[in-house]
Amino acid sequence: MFGIDVFSAVINPPQGCILAVGTSNSKVVLKSKGTKLVDLDSAEPSQGPVEESDLEVVTTMSVTLSADRRMLDEAEAAQFVQAFQKNIENAALAFL
């Protein structure tokens, strides 16, 4: 909306947590073994020559969950973020 990539939201009582969603960006990544992707910025130069077929454009987004520990345990917060990631990566699951 305003070109903000990453930010942290402030919890206002009586809220227990708040989800901060950054801008989605297209990024070129290097395909690796299986489904794991390697960011080209962090790829090691010793990996050898990169073929065009080894590159893929993906959309990335930063999400930050700020939570009040008195209301939400860290493990529950992590489970929520994992479930959010699973649903956002597979949008069809949100309709099930």
Side-chain angles (χ1 to χ4, degrees), residues 44-83:
E44 301 207 5
S46 62
Q47 291 179 344
V50 176
E51 299 290 328
E52 188 172 331
S53 61
D54 294 337
L55 301 177
E56 183 175 359
V57 177
V58 297
T59 303
T60 61
M61 178 177 69
S62 174
V63 176
T64 304
L65 180 68
S66 299
D68 186 347
R69 288 194 63 222
R70 296 172 291 183
M71 300 179 81
L72 188 65
D73 185 62
E74 291 91 348
E76 292 171 325
Q79 289 172 349
F80 172 79
V81 173
Q82 286 176 339

Side-chain angles (χ1 to χ4, degrees), residues 12-57:
N12 296 311
Q15 296 173 339
C17 63
I18 187 166
L19 187 68
V21 180
T23 305
S24 61
N25 296 311
S26 295
K27 189 179 219 179
V28 178
V29 295
L30 179 64
K31 292 183 199 175
S32 189
K33 298 174 185 170
T35 59
K36 182 180 177 187
L37 298 172
V38 177
D39 185 356
L40 287 181
D41 295 332
S42 63
E44 301 207 5
S46 62
Q47 291 179 344
V50 176
E51 299 290 328
E52 188 172 331
S53 61
D54 294 337
L55 301 177
E56 183 175 359
V57 177

Side-chain angles (χ1 to χ4, degrees), residues 79-95:
Q79 289 172 349
F80 172 79
V81 173
Q82 286 176 339
F84 181 81
Q85 177 185 4
K86 179 181 174 185
N87 287 317
I88 202 79
E89 287 178 348
N90 304 307
L93 293 177
F95 298 107

